[in-house]
Amino acid sequence: MLSFKNKRITQPHLALALLASCALPGIASGQTSIPDDGTAETSVDAIVVTARYKQEDAQKVPIAISAISGDTISAQGAFNLKQVVQQLPSLNIQGFSGRNQTITIRGIGTNAGGTNDGLEQGVGLYVDGVYRPRTGSVITDLIDVESIQLLRGPQGTLFGKNTVAGAIDIKTRAPTFTNEARAEISYGNYDYFRGYVSVNAALSDDLAVRVSYLRTSRGGLIENTVYKKDWDNLDNHSARFDLLYKPTDNFRLRFIADYSIQKGDVGFQSITAVLPTTLNNGTQVRGFYRRAADVGYVPGTVNAFDRKVDLNSSQYDEMPSYGFQAQADLDLSGITLSSITAYRNWKWIPNYDGDQIGAEISTLGVVDTDQQQFSQEFRVASTGERTIDYSAGLYFFWQEADDKQRTVYGKDAVAWLRTANTPTASVSPLPSAILDGLESFAHVVPATHSYAAYGQATWNIAPNFRVTGGLRYTYEHKTGLYAAEARGDVASITSLPVEYQATAVALRAAYAPTGSYYAKRNTDNISGTLIAAWDISDGAHAYYSYSRGYKSPGINLVRQTLGVDIFVKPEKVDAFELGLKTRFAGGAVELNGALFWTEDKDYQANYVNTLVTPAASYIANVGTLRSRGVELDARIAPAEGLSATFAATYNDAKYLKYTNAVPSFLESYKTSVDLSGRQASGAPKWSLGSTVEYVHSAGNGLDVYVGGDGSYRSSYYATVNLDPFSRVPGFALFGTHAGVRRQDGKWDLSFWVRNLFDKNYYNTISVNSTYGVALASIGEPRLYGLTLRGKL
């Protein structure tokens, strides 16, 4: 058996080849264990994907790809992307609010559990062909979803911008020329309600429309003991207008307008641990409880799974989003010409407790965001099968985020922040009025103009062998505006005691700095792919691929602190993959495997400089990350009415070079630490997911069904610097569903349970040394309900 620890393996492609020689014969031999004679009574349905801008059987596409249908999502009682992630083992989503979400695939992306507007995602998010740079715009309610396709590995040639880790491609139901109405109503515990209605109408022989509305609400899952209210509630609305114009068989124009809003007392974190008062070198520090006593604060529970918090400031936010897009397709002789035009607006309107505890250190800490984007793509793609199949295009993308960063300090700020960090120090004698009411305000505007040209061609050398090559050239113009000032209802300097006035001036300048600048930079890049694909037989397809991915430069729009570069170098990713896709036993079994090796150079990550006051958060190139491992996907239909899926990922994701990392809390006396060779953050080594469902005909045109799903993720660190207090323990989740439905699809009544065994688990954990605690976003408890669907 070959070990990943064999240090004599130094070349990615060599290691993949050796791994394949060990692993793939076992898969191939499995093909002969069940005769593929076409006599099987059942078979798995073929999955049609559009990863290469045309409809293809997923088994024949030389990309590691997973797809989940909208019906499967609904059957599990899921209603957003974060709930679907458990069935996609290579995908991980961390975060605690609509804005602060990060996504990784195979351990690559943005591993922080938070968001920096100057740091772009490493996972491309697309809805109906339109790139979404804001994770918050796709983790809300899913409406009219036809499928979610996860493409693993760099997809820079065709999907383009910021797909160094892969892409999530969401497809929605298009209008048809058949009149139809759909409705759905769900009710569950915690007063969960979901109501959906959609009407599809043929307005004429060449015009069809689909109009949909979705309403989701749920009571709170976590009690606020100060306000005596249940927080972490839902109050969401979504609406879509989808128009299809098809005057001829070879021309289609689809226009979509959508709007959604998420509201609630959400986005906060809970204390999950109190940090110790003794560091690794024996140094004693002033801990959470001592500082709380300094300001007269009596903390509540420090166990996040008590589902109680004592935040004493508002935590209400709204997240509206809307957009318009139009896609025109013209089929000519052997080619299709396409144009996709889109405009989107996304807002984040928070009102957050700045310290996330019951003291009044920071009564408000928000980044109010108004993000706009426009994109235009022109594409030509060959149709049918020919010696050389191709696609090519031009792409333009513009985005601008108008951010207003606000931090307001409270009456406890001086005592908490300015008392010496030793257990025996006296509480700071400085008047609380020095910082009480002070507001640090910064107007930040990062903007990007991106231009790209791409082309990809497949040479069908033989009926069973083909080579694909592609290139993409990208030119980007990035700008950034930063303007900071001090605001707030704060006591005048002259009203303070004379002996503290000079100190007050210095502290206010430190905690509410002023200054402004404008920065710009141009960059360009060439990325591409090369794939060799071999049809071993009608039911077995192998491929070997190399891809070069590119992630845009980051931009640091923060106060100018020593050692901070405004622009951060782009990430460049080299990815090698060897895959085998098989379908056998008369189509009753699909078994796919992939071996991958990816190196991410100049890896970008959020960095916190604790050597300045207050600590500065910005982006840095922290080193090189390597991700390598094995993926396995299986779908089976062993008997009539019975189907199952299984997916597993083993991912050995490590920092190859990360020599100047921010120390963990227990080593905070150091200036930096070396994390080279350590497991990368946000990357569990093992991830598993499975589903099973049995459908039985009950007569009279009815089916009864029962199913279940399960998932497992091993432990990982949630912070980039691998702080031990950010470790997310491994966890397994299970769900079940059962119901009865009409075979003609007219109605469907089901009962579903998510987190069947009420498992306590974390979404992400952060470490806050200033407050002396680890803060966590926790997973949902057991949720269950009834759903009735109907169709006319």
Side-chain angles (χ1 to χ4, degrees):
M1 180 178 180
L2 179 67
S3 170
F4 276 117
K5 296 181 180 179
N6 188 338
K7 296 183 179 180
R8 288 179 292 178
I9 297 174
T10 58
Q11 295 297 324
H13 57 279
L14 175 60
L16 284 173
L18 292 173
L19 284 169
S21 68
C22 295
L24 293 181
I27 298 175
S29 64
Q31 295 179 355
T32 60
S33 63
I34 303 175
D36 187 3
D37 55 9
T39 60
E41 294 182 0
T42 62
S43 64
V44 294
D45 295 330
I47 296 177
V48 177
V49 297
T50 55
R52 299 192 295 181
Y53 299 146
K54 59 181 179 180
Q55 293 189 340
E56 299 177 280
D57 184 344
Q59 290 299 101
K60 298 182 179 180
V61 178
I63 298 171
I65 185 170
S66 302
I68 299 179
S69 70
D71 291 339
T72 299
I73 296 168
S74 297
Q76 296 176 2
F79 56 87
N80 63 45
L81 188 60
K82 289 190 71 173
Q83 294 173 328
V84 174
V85 71
Q86 301 301 331
Q87 298 306 315
L88 299 168
S90 295
L91 179 66
N92 199 27
I93 301 179
Q94 295 174 247
F96 56 91
S97 71
R99 180 180 189 274
N100 294 286
Q101 301 287 336
T102 57
I103 302 179
T104 59
I105 298 175
R106 295 174 173 172
I108 295 177
T110 310
N111 297 321
T115 297
N116 185 318
D117 285 344
L119 183 62
E120 300 192 24
Q121 289 284 345
V123 175
L125 303 172
Y126 292 83
V127 179
D128 292 321
V130 175
Y131 174 63
R132 301 279 189 94
R134 291 289 177 173
T135 308
S137 68
V138 294
I139 65 165
T140 53
D141 289 3
L142 301 173
I143 182 171
D144 281 337
V145 170
E146 182 176 78
S147 70
I148 297 177
Q149 300 173 22
L150 175 66
L151 286 68
R152 305 188 290 275
Q155 306 295 324
T157 303
L158 295 182
F159 279 85
K161 189 171 177 60
N162 298 333
T163 56
V164 292
I168 298 174
D169 191 17
I170 299 175
K171 302 293 184 185
T172 63
R173 296 188 184 100
T176 67
F177 289 93
T178 300
N179 292 333
E180 176 188 85
R182 295 173 180 246
E184 175 184 317
I185 187 169
S186 299
Y187 185 77
N189 60 334
Y190 296 96
D191 290 326
Y192 170 71
F193 171 81
R194 178 179 170 92
Y196 163 75
V197 62
S198 177
V199 177
N200 185 100
L203 303 180
S204 65
D205 291 340
D206 53 17
L207 198 62
V209 65
R210 179 186 294 275
V211 180
S212 305
Y213 172 72
L214 175 64
R215 170 80 168 98
T216 304
S217 64
R218 190 198 63 209
L221 305 178
I222 297 176
E223 178 190 356
N224 182 293
T225 58
V226 174
Y227 292 99
K228 308 298 182 184
K229 292 182 178 180
D230 290 333
W231 281 9
D232 198 26
N233 55 315
L234 296 177
D235 183 9
N236 303 343
H237 301 261
S238 301
R240 280 174 61 89
F241 174 83
D242 199 337
L243 185 68
L244 176 64
Y245 175 56
K246 191 176 180 181
T248 63
D249 290 340
N250 68 334
F251 179 75
R252 300 170 301 282
L253 175 63
R254 186 181 179 190
F255 173 79
I256 302 172
D258 67 90
Y259 174 82
S260 67
I261 186 168
Q262 171 183 288
K263 300 181 289 183
D265 297 300
V266 295
F268 55 92
Q269 295 178 283
S270 307
I271 297 176
T272 190
V274 174
L275 302 180
T277 57
T278 303
L279 306 183
N280 282 350
N281 67 347
T283 299
Q284 298 290 309
V285 297
R286 202 175 190 88
F288 171 67
Y289 287 115
R290 181 62 185 270
R291 290 193 180 278
D294 292 344
V295 299
Y297 162 48
V298 180
T301 179
V302 293
N303 179 358
F305 296 116
D306 287 341
R307 297 190 176 273
K308 294 181 179 181
V309 295
D310 61 355
L311 279 67
N312 59 345
S313 296
S314 173
Q315 195 65 28
Y316 179 80
D317 80 64
E318 294 186 356
M319 187 171 66
S321 176
Y322 66 88
F324 310 93
Q325 68 183 77
Q327 177 169 346
D329 298 295
L330 176 63
D331 297 328
L332 300 176
S333 179
I335 63 170
T336 296
L337 302 177
S338 300
S339 169
I340 304 177
T341 307
Y343 169 82
R344 297 206 60 81
N345 180 276
W346 177 85
K347 288 185 174 69
W348 175 245
I349 310 171
N351 190 24
Y352 278 6
D353 187 308
D355 49 49
Q356 297 286 282
I357 59 177
E360 292 190 40
I361 309 159
S362 173
T363 58
L364 181 72
V366 300
V367 181
D368 192 307
T369 302
D370 184 351
Q371 187 261 350
Q372 300 181 75
Q373 68 179 77
F374 174 81
S375 61
Q376 174 63 59
E377 182 172 9
F378 296 107
R379 184 173 66 232
V380 57
S382 63
T383 57
E385 295 184 0
R386 56 181 71 196
T387 302
I388 296 180
D389 298 321
Y390 61 89
S391 59
L394 299 172
Y395 180 74
F396 169 74
F397 175 79
W398 165 80
Q399 72 162 332
E400 180 179 278
D402 192 317
D403 295 345
K404 296 177 176 62
Q405 302 173 355
R406 300 177 60 202
T407 299
V408 177
Y409 296 95
K411 65 180 181 62
D412 298 331
V414 166
W416 192 292
L417 300 175
R418 302 310 304 171
T419 297
N421 193 24
T422 61
T424 58
S426 300
V427 178
S428 172
L430 296 173
S432 62
I434 288 178
L435 294 181
D436 189 15
L438 178 68
E439 178 180 342
S440 174
F441 176 86
H443 185 207
V444 174
V445 185
T448 300
H449 290 77
S450 180
Y451 309 82
Y454 63 87
Q456 180 167 299
T458 298
W459 179 19
N460 298 295
I461 299 174
N464 64 341
F465 185 73
R466 55 200 173 275
V467 175
T468 299
L471 290 173
R472 187 182 190 101
Y473 173 77
T474 302
Y475 172 84
E476 291 193 323
H477 175 65
K478 282 183 173 284
T479 61
L481 169 68
Y482 175 86
E485 60 181 287
R487 294 180 175 181
D489 184 12
V490 62
S492 66
I493 294 295
T494 55
S495 68
L496 300 173
V498 174
E499 64 270 28
Y500 295 125
Q501 289 182 6
T503 300
V505 170
L507 288 180
R508 289 181 181 181
Y511 285 94
T514 61
S516 64
Y517 60 85
Y518 177 81
K520 61 181 179 179
R521 177 167 294 183
N522 299 328
T523 59
D524 63 353
N525 172 75
I526 294 179
S527 55
T529 189
L530 184 63
I531 307 171
W534 178 33
D535 298 330
I536 302 171
S537 67
D538 288 342
H541 312 274
Y543 66 90
Y544 179 73
S545 67
Y546 163 74
S547 298
R548 161 58 70 94
Y550 167 80
K551 180 180 172 185
S552 295
I555 181 170
N556 282 309
L557 296 177
V558 297
R559 59 192 172 96
Q560 288 301 283
T561 306
L562 184 63
V564 179
D565 293 326
I566 295 178
F567 288 97
V568 182
K569 291 186 293 185
E571 289 183 24
K572 293 186 178 180
V573 173
D574 291 302
F576 302 84
E577 186 171 316
L578 180 62
L580 180 64
K581 300 185 176 186
T582 65
R583 179 182 288 146
F584 52 95
V589 179
E590 277 187 4
L591 185 60
N592 301 334
L595 299 148
F596 60 89
W597 184 305
T598 305
E599 290 192 6
D600 187 340
K601 300 178 180 66
D602 290 320
Y603 181 66
Q604 302 170 351
N606 287 333
Y607 180 93
V608 179
N609 184 350
T610 58
L611 300 180
V612 297
T613 301
S617 176
Y618 53 91
I619 310 164
N621 296 107
V622 300
T624 300
L625 185 151
R626 184 211 57 212
S627 169
R628 60 181 178 182
V630 183
E631 294 172 330
L632 180 68
D633 291 275
R635 297 196 303 147
I636 62 172
E640 184 177 356
L642 181 62
S643 61
T645 68
F646 175 77
T649 298
Y650 172 76
N651 184 17
D652 178 35
K654 290 183 177 179
Y655 297 125
L656 289 187
K657 183 180 180 182
Y658 192 175
T659 56
N660 293 300
V662 176
S664 65
F665 170 76
L666 290 175
E667 295 184 308
S668 55
Y669 51 88
K670 298 181 179 180
T671 56
S672 67
V673 293
D674 187 351
L675 296 180
S676 302
R678 298 281 302 278
Q679 178 186 356
S681 68
K685 280 188 176 294
W686 288 99
S687 301
L688 310 173
S690 65
T691 66
V692 63
E693 184 173 80
Y694 177 68
V695 182
H696 177 71
S697 175
N700 298 319
L702 298 178
D703 282 340
V704 294
Y705 59 93
V706 61
D709 58 88
S711 65
Y712 169 76
R713 289 169 190 268
S714 61
S715 64
Y716 62 91
Y717 294 102
T719 59
V720 176
N721 71 339
L722 310 183
D723 193 300
F725 290 100
S726 76
R727 180 179 176 271
V728 174
F731 60 92
L733 299 176
F734 298 90
T736 187
H737 64 276
V740 59
R741 64 192 177 209
R742 280 275 300 266
Q743 292 174 346
D744 59 9
K746 293 295 185 181
W747 57 265
D748 183 328
L749 177 64
S750 64
F751 173 74
W752 46 266
V753 185
R754 296 181 54 81
N755 193 1
L756 178 64
F757 300 110
D758 204 22
K759 174 69 176 178
N760 289 329
Y761 67 101
Y762 296 102
N763 282 325
T764 193
I765 302 175
S766 61
V767 178
N768 194 314
S769 58
T770 300
Y771 302 133
V773 293
L775 297 168
S777 170
I778 60 177
E780 296 171 331
R782 180 192 295 119
L783 300 175
Y784 56 85
L786 284 170
T787 297
L788 176 63
R789 302 181 187 88
K791 183 171 67 174
L792 296 176

